[in-house]
Amino acid sequence: MKIYFKQILGLVSIAVLTVGCSEEFLVEEPTGSIINADQLADAVLLNPSVGAGTVTGIYSTMFTTGTGGTTSQQDFGQKGYDVYADMLCSDMALSTSTYGWYRARVTEYQAPLDFTQLENYQVWRYYYRIINQSNLVIASLGGNDIVPESDDNKFTLGQALAMRAHSYFYLTQFMINDVEASWNSETLPIYTEPGFVGNPKSTTQAVYELMENDLTKAITLLEGYSRPSKTQVDISIAQTILGYVLGSTRTRWADAATVTNAALSNTSASLLIGIDDPNTTNDETQVVNGVKGGFNDVNSRSWMWGVDLNADIGLGLVSWWGQIDLYSYSYAAVGDNKAMDADLYESMASDDIRRGQFLNSPTSSRYLQPYLKFYDSDKVVFGTSQIVKADYVYMRYEELLLLNIEALAKSGQEGLAKTKLTTFLENRVGDVSYVAALSGQALYDEIYKQTRLELWGEGKSYLAMKRNKATIVRASNHLSFVGVSIPFDDEKLTFEIPQQELQDNNNITSQN
């Protein structure tokens, strides 16, 4: 199936005509408030319908709206924080802004510089909510030191430990300017039992020790686990999370290479291949205009971890699709466009098939929107349905592979890293001969660039920015801070301990 630019314009015109009768569903000014104190205990945990104290409850929290403790339309689970990450590192440009979501407090960095802003609370509340849910599961099985006898309990405990570590990892990335520089500083409170009793901050080192211990134990417990769906964490997911944890220290690259090698061996996922490969089949991923795209189906062969969304779940405008995808009932369709940073786009080789995933028409207001990367399968601008049907991806094979390549290169295994990078790129660009001549920082820079290009819009570029101590410079299609150099450890790029926590926790009295 082919969709040409003129057809896109026609669809956009139709969408604009339909907005008038539907605009009451869109909020014209960014709003949002903290859920009141009576609800602060944890609405999800108190609701049996989402599996209080179970791993089902944990996974439900990842895609449920309001789980950051606010009424904001930016508050919709893990994918909401993926958007924050992509915007903070500036690979995702807010290129037009009509309704105002993300503009002032995220893209103009008001929230990271002002602890009273709700985005700080969302990040803090969401990840500590999952930590508390994980602690409930762990406690129900006998506690942190238990080794369950039954396989079912082993697998459940393994998932809870992995999810606790996953949340602490994101807190270290979102809340700490530079992990390495803050290693011996007190940065985050640790909770390993259910409930929030107002613990003081622990050192970054202590948080990392907890994450590594949790994940090491989880990997052992998840041996032999065959999960019922991709919603659950299995051994390869736990190993990949550990790879991220080790890589983020910037000192454990050999260990990161070892664990990501193991994850590659344990996953059943595989690389999305080039469109001319005879092994390509229609059910693996969609091909539009000769470009692989449509990251919308949990059954895609490259997806390692994700959730199968359907009408029964009932997600609508307040969702990742409602903020990013122009083919959904979304803000992105009617005036809050999210696009690839123009300089990042131009860094792609001229024959890179990924160029075709973005609308390359500089005169269009939709310039560099991901119109052929992410899309609802209906392919109707401003979607005909207000219910989200397309799925969420949390992790896919390509990110594990690129993390493994980075770890190999930075642990002194450049030859193997270049071999794997060449194989990866052969499925995306024509001439990959240049890779053979790369070494040292030039090789690291190429791996970092390919990570950003491949995983745009998936929330992983921010993590790579921190691992690589990168300095970001926004291109001309951003609405603010164009051309300004911002180093990875700038306070504008990490959130603050929220005002609510400082008020409620007498053992934390300041940001530092």
Side-chain angles (χ1 to χ4, degrees), residues 25-54:
F25 296 104
L26 300 176
V27 178
E28 294 191 14
E29 295 295 333
T31 60
S33 59
I34 294 175
I35 294 174
N36 67 49
D38 290 336
Q39 296 168 303
L40 207 56
D42 207 334
V44 170
L45 289 177
L46 298 176
N47 184 352
S49 68
V50 294
T54 69

Side-chain angles (χ1 to χ4, degrees), residues 10-27:
L11 291 171
V12 171
S13 298
I14 294 171
V16 170
L17 291 174
T18 63
V19 171
C21 62
S22 302
E23 62 185 3
E24 66 268 24
F25 296 104
L26 300 176
V27 178

Side-chain angles (χ1 to χ4, degrees), residues 165 169 208 211-212 215 240-250:
F169 171 66
Y208 268 75
M211 290 189 290
E212 186 171 357
L215 289 164
T240 304
I241 297 169
L242 180 54
Y244 273 119
V245 169
L246 296 171
S248 68
T249 69
R250 308 190 201 103

Side-chain angles (χ1 to χ4, degrees), residues 242-408:
L242 180 54
Y244 273 119
V245 169
L246 296 171
S248 68
T249 69
R250 308 190 201 103
T251 61
R252 303 282 301 278
W253 288 114
D255 293 333
T258 297
V259 75
T260 51
N261 277 333
L264 287 167
S265 297
N266 283 321
T267 184
S268 60
S270 59
L271 184 68
L272 285 178
I273 51 183
I275 59 174
D276 295 325
D277 191 302
N279 294 317
T280 301
T281 59
N282 290 332
D283 63 350
E284 287 165 357
T285 189
Q286 299 185 45
V287 179
V288 179
N289 278 359
V291 179
K292 281 190 171 295
F295 287 75
N296 55 22
D297 189 349
V298 74
N299 295 311
S300 172
R301 69 190 226 156
S302 79
W303 286 29
M304 296 173 61
W305 189 21
V307 60
D308 183 6
L309 298 178
N310 53 57
D312 291 337
I313 290 174
L315 293 187
L317 178 64
V318 185
S319 66
W320 185 92
W321 293 97
Q323 287 288 358
I324 305 300
D325 176 42
L326 78 159
Y327 297 112
S328 298
Y329 182 82
S330 73
Y331 289 107
V334 293
D336 278 12
N337 297 354
K338 288 82 174 178
M340 177 180 270
D341 176 272
D343 289 344
L344 178 60
Y345 180 83
E346 292 303 330
S347 74
M348 274 191 277
S350 59
D351 61 352
D352 193 320
I353 65 170
R354 294 169 298 190
R355 291 179 72 96
Q357 294 175 337
F358 301 86
L359 182 60
N360 186 15
S361 178
T363 60
S364 170
S365 64
R366 297 191 179 281
Y367 178 47
L368 298 183
Q369 275 194 276
Y371 80 124
L372 293 179
K373 178 170 184 180
F374 306 107
Y375 48 81
D376 186 281
S377 56
D378 290 346
K379 296 283 289 175
V380 176
V381 173
F382 197 63
T384 55
S385 171
Q386 296 174 25
I387 301 297
V388 170
K389 304 179 297 299
D391 301 334
Y392 279 169
V393 59
Y394 301 137
M395 184 183 293
R396 61 184 174 99
Y397 183 88
E398 289 77 10
E399 72 177 88
L400 167 58
L401 177 60
L402 286 162
L403 180 62
N404 174 251
I405 291 170
E406 181 181 350
L408 289 169

